[in-house]
Amino acid sequence: MGGKRLATTALALLVALVGRAPGVGAAIPRGAGPTPPRLSFADGEVSFWRPGAEDWAPAKVNTPLAAGDSLYTGDNANLELQVGPAAFLRAGAGTELGVESLESDLQQFKLTAGHAAVDARRLPQGQAIEVDTPNGAFTIERPGYYRIDVDQDRTTFSTRRGGQATLTPANGEATDVGPDKQVVLEGSDTPQLTANAAPDPDEWDRWNLDRSGHEGGPSPSARYVSPEVTGAEDLDRNGDWRETPRYGHVWVPHDVPPDWAPYSTGRWIFDPNYGWTWVDDAPWGWAPYHYGRWVYGDGFWGWAPGPVVVAPVYAPALVSFFGAPGVGVSVGVGFPFVSWVALGFGEPVIPWWGPVGFAGRCWWGGWGGPRIVNNVVIQHNTYVNVRNVTVFQNTHVHNAVIGVNRDHFGRGHVEHVRLAAADVQRLRPIHGHLGVKPTPASLVPKEGHAIRPPQAVHARPVVATRPPQDPSHHLRAAGLNPPSSATPPPRLVHAPRSQGGGHQASLGGRATPPPPPGAERRRPGQAGARPAPPSQHTRGERPDVGQPRPHGTPQAPTGAGRARAPERPAPPAVPRHTERARPAPPSPPSGVERSRPAPGASRPQLGAPPPRAPHERAYAPRPRPAPREKPHQGQPGAPPSARRGTPRPPRASAASARPERFGASAWAHPTGQRGPTRRRHA
């Protein structure tokens, strides 16, 4: 008996190594997106609304959020969103918090009233968090603690614990907010900005710090679960890890009934991006229902995360759906019906969501262990015909298959029915879309009505660097009819992050707007080139509010390195008489570039004009007369060097000076670009 167990263990280790071999962790296909934020904590009256729902409903922990969702806290209430493995966004009493967009490089939220905090111990690589308020947008790209308070016509923003952020007010003049600073932004059309040192933490700040806890030794779950899996911290408080000879270490929940089975205590809701999504009732019900697999042995259920993978992938649920067309069942489910069972160790998920080519095909996204089809280990990463996948391990476990009438599926709280073994044998797997249409009741995680935010608060416009995502087309494709948005669109300003355009600014890879059609870029000193105004900052730089400017000092116009949103019209051209009236500074001859500031040079402070670099007086060498034995020089068809008759002046060195933000810090752009790029002239 011991030899058989030893052989089984050796086989499990072998297939685990095969599963971790290069090539098994294939690239994430289109249709599998990033992990959405989840409501990880709620205390007091917290309301939830999703476009297309009938009304605001009570919020529920472990609800995955999508673009367009909104949350509102009543008196003495608090909520917490987990936006990353070690990043949280919390809101206090009387706060409305909306989800504007969830993209691979930016999570965008809307704060129209109240107070919120971003507590980020670590941010996912290449991803930032933006909080849009009525007075300005705050972009967070570094770990730290950030506090945002929105009043009637004022927004207060502070940074702590080494945090640094970018403020973009309604006029588009982006400003860097340094560590341990507080900025107050008043007004929307002509915002007034003041900067001070960050105040001492108040009672709500201390509550946030208590929620985060103190960094100590690694938790037991950290040894078996990838650090990129959200919700793993809930496992230590609600279960323990056990070692099994076949599956390795599995997590076993506490306080579950003897006849309990996974995916039996919760409900299905409709997500605009992922379709039917499971929301469990248990406080730990996030990671075990969106990652890993469930196994049964020795009389208990355990969650097996499998070998740790570098980039685990979120799934709305990890189950296999079944139907029984043309076959009745002996239980009181009714016909037709839908049933499901938790996927076993190594089994593929057959997506019921996503586009054509993704839905209905075997997928092991994020699974690092062996791949098992019909109880057979797949030794190579080969294509599996989904029609041949008919055996699922957990269907043989007593009470593991859950069923519900198709007309009641995803429509509020429904009493689930366990299918008997005789009924399970008649089931047929559903490969692809379920064919169940959602209703407005499918969009909320709980029944009932909840408090609404005041209409004046809900309808307040905000400032944003990107347009929000529109979930209406996903909802209409599912048969729902969401109403038009009751909130005005945001006021788009210069984006502090690269929007994917081909024009990069000189600092940190910032995007710059392309020149207007037909415009021709001219070299410095060339006829018709417009001189920079004396108050303009060095190209690509932003003022740093690390040093507060004197009260009443006007801000210098900045944002030259920002990408202008396409919805906003281009600024009017400066009249010619204005250009003539402005004295032009002396400029070098054509072909000679201006000098640039040396590395480590001091930055211009907020409200003060930057120092102007002295112009180089290096002139091109005098052209020599063309020799008579080459009559073709200067004529059409001659080589460029012969036509010019003037040696080409040397270009400026590529290692030209590069201003650094925050002194000598190494804050790099997520794309890997860093510092200014060299100016290229037409």
Side-chain angles (χ1 to χ4, degrees):
M1 189 67 180
K4 182 177 180 181
R5 176 169 295 183
L6 181 61
T8 303
T9 304
L11 177 61
L13 292 174
L14 177 62
V15 296
L17 292 176
V18 172
R20 297 181 69 176
V24 172
I28 301 176
R30 187 170 61 96
T35 300
R38 66 156 179 153
L39 178 62
S40 53
F41 175 80
D43 179 29
E45 263 191 305
V46 180
S47 306
F48 171 82
W49 183 78
R50 174 164 289 173
E54 293 179 349
D55 200 353
W56 289 75
K60 183 177 181 180
V61 173
N62 290 326
T63 299
L65 303 179
D69 294 351
S70 294
L71 294 156
Y72 182 70
T73 54
D75 296 337
N76 301 320
N78 293 285
L79 67 83
E80 176 187 82
L81 305 183
Q82 187 170 16
V83 297
F88 299 89
L89 174 59
R90 303 187 183 99
T95 301
E96 183 183 13
L97 191 65
V99 183
E100 292 287 87
S101 64
L102 300 174
E103 301 183 28
S104 59
D105 63 335
L106 184 69
Q107 293 189 9
Q108 196 173 6
F109 299 92
K110 177 175 65 173
L111 181 64
T112 55
H115 52 282
V118 176
D119 191 354
R121 300 281 180 177
R122 176 170 55 91
L123 287 174
Q125 185 177 5
Q127 191 175 80
I129 298 173
E130 179 177 299
V131 180
D132 300 331
T133 71
N135 306 99
F138 300 88
T139 306
I140 299 168
E141 297 178 299
R142 297 188 57 170
Y145 179 81
Y146 306 86
R147 171 79 177 263
I148 311 104
D149 295 86
V150 178
D151 296 326
Q152 183 65 30
D153 196 32
R154 179 177 61 184
T155 297
T156 305
F157 178 82
S158 59
T159 62
R160 295 187 182 92
R161 211 173 61 218
Q164 297 177 358
T166 300
L167 160 63
T168 310
N171 60 2
E173 298 176 359
T175 302
D176 291 336
V177 184
D180 299 320
K181 298 298 177 184
Q182 182 187 73
V183 294
V184 179
L185 193 63
E186 296 189 69
S188 55
D189 294 333
T190 57
Q192 300 295 321
L193 179 66
T194 58
N196 303 283
D200 294 333
D202 60 10
E203 182 180 358
W204 196 72
D205 290 322
R206 290 190 290 271
W207 175 81
N208 277 275
L209 298 176
D210 291 340
R211 284 290 303 171
S212 300
H214 301 284
E215 295 184 359
S219 67
S221 299
R223 291 183 288 178
Y224 313 114
V225 184
S226 170
E228 299 303 318
V229 171
T230 57
E233 62 276 3
D234 298 332
L235 304 180
D236 297 333
R237 298 187 293 267
N238 298 279
D240 56 67
W241 290 89
R242 303 182 189 179
E243 186 176 2
T244 62
R246 184 175 180 183
Y247 308 113
H249 286 85
V250 299
W251 177 81
V252 181
H254 293 161
D255 303 327
V256 293
D259 60 345
W260 175 86
Y263 297 96
S264 62
T265 54
R267 62 193 298 173
W268 294 96
I269 68 170
F270 191 81
D271 185 285
N273 296 320
Y274 290 100
W276 293 111
T277 301
W278 180 260
V279 180
D280 201 79
D281 295 337
W284 48 264
W286 178 262
Y289 291 103
H290 301 291
Y291 305 92
R293 302 292 189 269
W294 282 94
V295 298
Y296 186 84
D298 297 333
F300 62 87
W301 283 97
W303 176 65
V308 175
V309 295
V310 177
V313 184
Y314 167 89
L318 291 163
V319 301
S320 175
F321 283 103
F322 299 94
V327 179
V329 291
S330 57
V331 296
V333 178
F335 183 81
F337 74 99
V338 178
S339 60
W340 59 90
V341 69
L343 292 176
F345 193 79
E347 291 180 335
V349 59
I350 304 175
W352 55 89
W353 75 95
V356 177
F358 175 79
R361 300 184 63 178
C362 289
W363 181 53
W364 284 271
W367 175 254
R371 301 186 173 191
I372 301 175
V373 176
N374 298 337
N375 289 328
V376 177
V377 177
I378 303 298
Q379 297 292 348
H380 303 285
N381 187 22
T382 57
Y383 171 78
V384 177
N385 187 349
V386 70
R387 300 297 174 184
N388 298 330
V389 183
T390 58
V391 178
F392 292 89
Q393 305 166 32
N394 290 331
T395 57
H396 302 288
V397 181
H398 181 63
N399 285 338
V401 182
I402 316 297
V404 67
N405 188 294
R406 180 182 291 268
D407 295 335
H408 299 160
F409 180 85
R411 300 186 181 185
H413 180 73
V414 178
E415 194 68 30
H416 298 151
V417 178
R418 311 293 182 92
L419 299 187
D423 298 319
V424 171
Q425 295 179 358
R426 306 175 185 177
L427 300 178
R428 298 293 181 269
I430 299 177
H431 300 136
H433 297 291
L434 303 185
V436 181
K437 296 292 184 181
T439 65
S442 306
L443 299 174
V444 294
K446 275 187 178 181
E447 297 88 1
H449 297 282
I451 56 174
R452 298 181 179 182
Q455 184 60 27
V457 170
H458 186 64
R460 292 186 71 181
V462 297
V463 178
T465 66
R466 295 186 186 182
Q469 292 177 331
D470 185 9
S472 60
H473 60 285
H474 292 290
L475 298 174
R476 292 191 181 96
L480 296 170
N481 187 23
S484 57
S485 177
T487 60
R491 180 175 180 179
L492 298 179
V493 293
H494 297 166
R497 293 172 58 85
S498 174
Q499 303 292 327
H503 299 269
Q504 299 293 331
S506 61
L507 183 61
R510 304 294 185 184
T512 57
E520 182 181 1
R521 301 180 66 181
R522 293 180 171 88
R523 300 181 182 180
Q526 187 175 348
R530 182 183 304 172
S535 61
Q536 188 175 4
H537 289 280
T538 306
R539 186 173 74 93
E541 292 190 2
R542 296 194 298 271
D544 190 346
V545 299
Q547 299 292 333
R549 61 185 175 88
H551 181 70
T553 304
Q555 285 184 277
T558 59
R562 301 292 174 168
R564 187 176 297 277
E567 289 78 5
R568 298 190 65 188
V574 179
R576 293 183 178 273
H577 64 82
T578 305
E579 295 186 6
R580 288 195 299 268
R582 183 185 301 155
S587 57
S590 175
V592 179
E593 295 186 349
R594 299 178 186 269
S595 62
R596 299 184 180 181
S602 60
R603 289 172 51 94
Q605 298 299 323
L606 182 64
R612 301 180 64 87
H615 299 293
E616 296 181 0
R617 291 292 182 179
Y619 293 91
R622 180 176 301 177
R624 298 180 181 179
R628 297 182 179 179
E629 58 273 17
K630 296 181 180 181
H632 62 279
Q633 292 182 356
Q635 298 178 2
S641 59
R643 289 198 303 269
R644 285 196 300 267
T646 303
R648 186 186 182 100
R651 282 185 176 269
S653 171
S656 55
R658 180 165 64 188
E660 290 280 356
R661 286 185 294 180
F662 317 123
S665 66
W667 185 29
H669 190 269
T671 59
Q673 295 180 353
R674 179 181 174 185
T677 57
R678 186 172 59 187
R679 185 195 302 266
R680 298 184 181 272
H681 302 291

